[in-house]
Amino acid sequence: SPKTKNIAQKLKEALPKELFSLIKKIGETAENLGINAYIIGGFVRDLIIGRKNFDLDVVVEGDATEFAKKIAKLFNAKVHTFDRFKTATVVFPDGNRIDFASARTEVYRSPGALPEVDMAPLKKDLMRRDFTINTLAVKINSKDFGKLIDFFGGLKDIKDRKIRVLHSLSFVEDPTRILRALRFATRYRFELGSHTEKLLKMAVQRKLFKTVEGQRIYHELKQIMLEDNPLRVLNKLEQYKVLSSLFDNLNWNRWEKDLFERLRKVVIWHKLNFPESSINYHLPFFGALFLKEDYEDVNRYLSFLSVPEKEKKEILDMCRLIIPTIKRIEKAKKNSEIYSLLKSKSEEFILLLAAYPESEETREKILKYLKEWKDVKPLVSGKDLINRFKLKPGPIFKEILNKLKYAIIDEKIPEDNKEKQLSYVEKLLDENRKMD
Ligand code: CTP
């Protein structure tokens, strides 16, 4: 029988108040319905390790969609059900969301798969998972609230700082776990267990990636690019010959590594200055990975990964345009020249562009575009052009207001002084009349 321990107090300390009371009520509901409910997986792992994580996955020994519907009704929440997988997401009025799944009982049917034995649905469900550190569960039924369930030694492996698979065929059944193992090892500064390391090396050697759908590999690579330090994970991938097995011609040298490090700093800067931004931070990292590669190779890599068309185009555009754009920025004499070079570019592109130069001066200018120039809005409006200058609306409006905007960006006119902006417009119109 599994070792048990109660971590209700830890749960209370780690979760925001309203999320904690939500969990308690879900546990009461489960108890009343006579169903066992557990929080499982990454959340529990991070709770023990002490890493912030509010992604709650609840597994019930029963019908999760029915259970989620009841919970949604009780809390006046929205529920999205995925009947094919017997899973559901409940979105609560306060914005919290919780995923529900039914403990799955089917097991792998590959040769050498684990034996079918009579065991609790929860245990069978957890047995299918990647690493022991991801197999912890906390029961939330009010009767046993906070009981930690550890069937596979996950707690000890967290204490020993080890990534271990549950069985020898884990990487064969799902080679994307190779990427996950190295991502988790880097994130937590854990080591691979020695047996797990051997299995991983063998799986890489056997080129098992070739048997996986490209989009699943892309999904895991994307998770890597979204880590705090993708560079460290990619170095690990290189160390285990994973990079070269995925991308046969790839260069991963000093230059690429330095670019990754500069990009990491630019991204930190961006998140600090634009905390509400919802841009795709993984894209500039993919751009950085492929920037110096042959265009044909990049095309081939992105097709192999089945990268969605829009993202593929974005990455290819980065590869084509970063260097020419940098050259033009370095030659620019006025701020407004940089503005007009960048105004049609995506923010993802601009982040990689900012990371590219070794010169801090060039980088500053690009970041200034994001922080200041991009949002310059003249105080003079179309209404002013009609009322003060008796102009008829037409293409000239856009022309005048753009010239004014460029003058502000070039710091010829202050952004916050309407009088000075109006006299600038007056001057523009005078010059125009003289030309006619
Ligand atoms: N899982 C697995 N094999 C995979 C992917 C996922 O066994 N190839 C399992 C893992 O046990 C994991 C759970 O599914 O705990 C949820 O996966 P995911 O949300 O990707 O991972 P998290 O553990 O939540 O990791 P992260 O902190 O990166 O979100």
Side-chain angles (χ1 to χ4, degrees):
S1 77
K3 286 188 187 155
T4 62
K5 185 179 163 183
N6 196 293
I7 57 166
Q9 189 55 29
K10 237 191 172 96
L11 206 55
K12 188 173 181 180
E13 284 160 16
L15 285 175
K17 252 203 190 95
E18 75 283 354
L19 198 50
F20 180 74
S21 72
L22 211 57
I23 296 291
K24 282 215 103 156
K25 282 189 204 137
I26 292 171
E28 280 165 27
T29 311
E31 188 69 39
N32 291 338
L33 294 168
I35 291 175
N36 290 329
Y38 311 84
I39 309 175
I40 49 107
F43 172 84
V44 187
R45 171 199 69 214
D46 285 347
L47 184 69
I48 307 286
I49 293 177
R51 173 179 184 267
K52 198 163 146 183
N53 182 345
F54 301 138
D55 284 342
L56 289 174
D57 292 305
V58 170
V59 157
V60 298
E61 291 178 322
D63 187 333
T65 47
E66 284 309 310
F67 185 68
K69 282 180 197 161
K70 284 191 181 124
I71 294 292
K73 203 162 179 192
L74 202 65
F75 287 93
N76 206 5
K78 288 208 171 94
V79 59
H80 309 274
T81 58
F82 311 96
D83 291 318
R84 205 157 83 80
F85 300 104
K86 288 260 176 246
T87 62
T89 300
V90 178
V91 183
F92 295 88
D94 58 10
N96 279 313
R97 45 170 57 230
I98 298 181
D99 290 327
F100 291 85
S102 311
R104 284 185 240 176
T105 47
E106 93 270 14
V107 291
Y108 284 111
R109 253 159 279 163
S110 51
L114 299 162
E116 272 269 18
V117 273
D118 198 28
M119 61 171 90
L122 176 71
K123 186 169 181 185
K124 268 192 189 173
D125 184 288
L126 294 171
M127 196 171 72
R128 298 174 311 116
R129 290 169 186 259
D130 48 6
F131 310 114
T132 59
I133 61 168
N134 289 335
T135 61
L136 295 170
V138 186
K139 195 163 180 186
I140 56 172
N141 289 52
S142 33
K143 189 166 157 286
D144 286 321
F145 186 83
K147 179 170 148 187
L148 181 72
I149 296 169
D150 178 11
F151 290 111
F152 304 101
L155 199 55
K156 179 173 188 305
D157 285 342
I158 288 176
K159 294 223 168 83
D160 295 346
R161 309 179 74 83
K162 294 284 190 211
I163 309 287
R164 287 191 216 279
V165 291
L166 275 73
H167 60 91
S168 298
L169 285 172
S170 191
F171 292 122
V172 178
E173 282 161 356
D174 183 355
T176 66
R177 289 175 173 169
I178 296 169
L179 300 172
R180 295 174 62 83
L182 299 175
R183 175 163 66 92
F184 290 129
T186 310
R187 180 199 285 172
Y188 300 115
R189 296 180 187 269
F190 284 14
E191 281 180 1
L192 303 180
S194 63
H195 183 56
T196 297
E197 184 178 40
K198 269 187 209 131
L199 296 169
L200 184 144
K201 283 179 175 166
M202 266 163 40
V204 175
Q205 214 165 32
R206 287 172 57 190
K207 301 196 185 310
L208 292 180
F209 285 121
K210 293 228 178 341
T211 68
V212 185
E213 284 167 283
Q215 57 181 25
R216 295 193 58 233
I217 299 176
Y218 182 61
H219 176 78
E220 285 304 331
L221 288 175
K222 177 173 163 182
Q223 300 310 309
I224 288 172
M225 299 308 190
L226 293 172
E227 289 285 316
D228 287 341
N229 197 333
L231 169 63
R232 288 184 46 237
V233 188
L234 289 188
N235 282 338
K236 264 238 148 53
L237 295 189
E238 187 201 26
Q239 184 193 331
Y240 284 95
K241 302 189 170 67
V242 173
L243 267 190
S244 54
S245 113
L246 287 172
F247 311 116
D248 47 15
N249 252 337
L250 192 79
N251 294 297
W252 181 247
N253 300 322
R254 191 71 261 151
W255 186 86
E256 285 80 11
K257 295 176 191 185
D258 288 345
L259 177 60
F260 259 67
E261 185 52 22
R262 293 195 297 274
L263 180 56
R264 186 179 72 89
K265 288 180 183 153
V266 167
V267 165
I268 290 172
W269 173 91
H270 191 266
K271 287 180 177 168
L272 233 108
N273 281 278
F274 305 94
E276 303 295 316
S277 170
S278 59
I279 71 168
N280 289 312
Y281 286 109
H282 63 285
L283 290 176
F285 284 104
F286 277 106
L289 186 64
F290 295 141
L291 199 53
K292 287 266 177 102
E293 303 300 309
D294 282 346
Y295 199 72
E296 286 313 304
D297 284 335
V298 181
N299 238 314
R300 196 162 49 82
Y301 298 153
L302 297 178
S303 301
F304 155 64
L305 297 175
S306 305
V307 176
E309 216 39 57
K310 262 179 83 178
E311 301 196 7
K312 183 172 174 181
K313 183 177 177 305
E314 182 76 49
I315 295 168
L316 286 171
D317 279 351
M318 289 174 182
C319 295
R320 269 190 320 125
L321 298 172
I322 291 283
I323 294 172
T325 310
I326 281 290
K327 289 203 172 125
R328 292 170 74 178
I329 287 176
E330 281 169 347
K331 279 199 207 120
K333 294 194 188 63
K334 290 192 289 184
N335 297 345
S336 57
E337 286 174 53
I338 298 175
Y339 174 86
S340 68
L341 275 170
L342 298 186
K343 70 180 196 307
S344 60
K345 302 282 192 287
S346 71
E347 251 170 280
E348 287 86 349
F349 182 93
I350 293 170
L351 292 186
L352 180 56
L353 193 73
Y356 187 90
E358 280 163 37
S359 136
E360 286 301 327
E361 204 187 321
T362 312
R363 181 170 10 269
E364 280 306 316
K365 283 185 193 160
I366 298 166
L367 296 182
K368 215 154 173 178
Y369 165 81
L370 289 179
K371 231 176 113 159
E372 294 176 20
W373 306 336
K374 188 164 83 70
D375 301 312
V376 164
K377 213 172 170 301
L379 295 171
V380 175
S381 67
K383 260 193 190 142
D384 294 315
L385 298 184
I386 298 172
N387 296 335
R388 290 224 11 185
F389 300 104
K390 309 294 173 216
L391 292 178
K392 276 209 194 88
I396 187 157
F397 272 46
K398 205 169 177 189
E399 210 177 291
I400 292 173
L401 294 177
N402 264 336
K403 278 196 178 149
L404 176 57
K405 186 198 270 184
Y406 280 36
I408 295 168
I409 290 171
D410 287 332
E411 295 172 15
K412 289 193 218 149
I413 301 162
E415 190 179 2
D416 56 359
N417 186 327
K418 186 161 178 182
E419 280 314 307
K420 288 197 174 157
Q421 293 186 13
L422 285 166
S423 12
Y424 181 78
V425 171
E426 185 139 33
K427 204 181 85 194
L428 278 179
L429 292 171
D430 280 348
E431 280 167 13
N432 254 356
R433 268 179 222 120
K434 271 180 217 150
M435 295 228 291
D436 286 343

